[in-house]
């Protein structure tokens, strides 16, 4: 864990798994988790994590955004049974940028207690990047790894929009 | 805005389609009712306790 971290922004909790914060540049970010139990019941306590911002204009680099995301994830993983899936798709051509950015944040956050599995699927026209994150002490980790493998085997087809 | 797209059988595609519609909704101002409607349509919810 890096010391002298920038301060996270104040996060407003909309509900149990939905957060917003405003940056010093006035940009509003949404961080939300969607439970996957409805479509992947074999993935216990697993959520799709999403980071979205209002508007589309570019803005300067702001390290407090990463600190804020990390803060929210730290709280999320206080329940050691929680797992998180990130999906980056090539619809807007930013999938690698998103994953690389998130990988950097993850490395920054990871104090050695987290595990991650990365996967890629698609063809020359469409690409999808999937990652699953969980605590190494998650009592369901064997099941998570198997179910994530099943997801890749069963659902990484016909994903072109 | 009404969702016209059918819900995909492929579960991953269903998740992606929901995510993309939510992204568009958030980029356009994030109307909470619209966000909830999109999530509900695809069978997700924001409010499940951990």
């Amino acid at each position: 864990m890096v010391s002298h971290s920038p301060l996270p922004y104040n996060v407003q909790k909309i509900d149990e798994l939905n957060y917003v914060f405003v940056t010093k540049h006035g940009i509003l970010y949404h961080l939300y988790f969607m439970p996957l139990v409805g479509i992947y019941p074999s993935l216990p306590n697993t959520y799709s994590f999403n980071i979205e911002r209002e508007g589309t204009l570019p803005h300067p680099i702001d390290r407090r955004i990463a600190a804020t995301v990390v803060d929210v994830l730290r709280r999320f993983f206080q329940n050691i049974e929680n797992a998180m899936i990130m999906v980056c798709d090539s619809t807007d051509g930013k999938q690698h940028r998103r994953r690389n950015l998130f990988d950097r944040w993850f490395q920054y956050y990871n104090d050695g207690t987290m595990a991650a599995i990365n996967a890629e699927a698609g063809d020359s026209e469409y690409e999808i990047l999937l990652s699953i994150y969980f605590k190494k002490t998650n009592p369901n980790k064997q099941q998570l790894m198997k179910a994530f493998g099943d997801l890749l085997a069963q659902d990484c087809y016909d994903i072109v929009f | 805005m009404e969702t016209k797209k059918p819900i995909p059988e492929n579960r991953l595609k269903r998740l992606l389609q929901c995510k993309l519609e939510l992204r568009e909704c958030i980029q356009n101002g994030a109307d909470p009712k619209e966000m909830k409607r999109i999530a509900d349509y695809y069978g997700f919810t924001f409010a499940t306790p951990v």
Side-chain angles (χ1 to χ4, degrees):
Chain A
M1 186 79 59
V2 176
S3 59
H4 308 296
S5 305
L7 279 177
Y9 286 111
N10 287 326
V11 173
Q12 183 186 350
K13 191 173 179 177
I14 303 296
D15 60 43
E16 195 62 39
L17 296 165
N18 188 9
Y19 307 86
V20 296
F21 65 91
V22 182
T23 71
K24 62 185 176 185
H25 300 106
I27 298 169
L28 199 148
Y29 274 82
H30 292 250
L31 308 178
Y32 64 93
F33 297 86
M34 290 199 301
L36 298 181
V37 64
I39 57 172
Y40 292 111
S42 58
L43 281 165
N45 283 60
T46 304
Y47 299 78
S48 164
F49 179 57
N50 303 278
I51 307 165
E52 305 288 356
R53 47 170 285 205
E54 293 191 13
T56 55
L57 292 175
H59 64 85
I61 291 173
D62 180 352
R63 292 179 61 218
R64 291 185 69 188
I65 296 172
T68 309
V69 172
V70 165
D71 191 50
V72 167
L73 291 177
R74 188 176 288 123
R75 282 185 252 168
F76 175 75
F77 282 112
Q78 280 178 352
N79 180 342
I80 63 164
E81 293 195 30
N82 279 349
M84 178 192 101
I85 283 182
M86 279 284 289
V87 183
C88 302
D89 74 287
S90 63
T91 305
D92 60 4
K94 296 178 181 173
Q95 70 278 18
H96 287 285
R97 207 166 79 184
R98 285 201 179 95
R99 176 186 260 182
N100 290 341
L101 180 63
F102 192 80
D103 278 352
R104 282 206 302 276
W105 293 351
F106 177 72
Q107 294 304 324
Y108 174 79
Y109 163 75
N110 191 2
D111 56 1
T113 64
M114 297 295 302
I117 303 171
N118 295 326
E120 299 182 14
D123 55 28
S124 59
E125 293 184 1
Y126 189 84
E127 186 177 29
I128 184 167
L129 310 177
L130 290 111
S131 304
I132 186 167
Y133 303 87
F134 51 85
K135 284 271 188 188
K136 289 178 181 172
T137 51
N138 189 316
N140 303 314
K141 69 178 177 183
Q142 295 300 330
Q143 186 181 346
L144 286 166
M145 287 190 284
K146 181 182 183 312
F148 188 63
D150 291 344
L151 180 161
L152 297 173
Q154 293 166 9
D155 284 346
C156 284
Y157 70 94
D158 189 30
I159 51 172
V160 177
F161 282 92
Chain B
M1 185 182 76
E2 285 299 314
T3 300
K4 304 285 188 203
K5 292 179 183 172
I7 298 174
E9 277 186 34
N10 183 315
R11 295 170 294 180
L12 191 53
K13 189 168 180 176
R14 178 171 153 191
L15 174 64
L16 274 169
Q17 199 161 297
C18 179
K19 177 185 162 85
L20 292 176
E21 288 193 24
L22 283 169
R23 177 182 297 162
E24 186 179 353
C25 179
I26 289 170
Q27 284 178 346
N28 291 323
D31 174 11
K33 285 184 182 170
E34 178 66 5
M35 287 180 67
K36 184 177 183 315
R37 191 194 63 76
I38 293 168
D40 285 349
Y41 177 78
Y42 287 102
F44 298 105
T45 174
F46 294 123
T48 302
V50 183

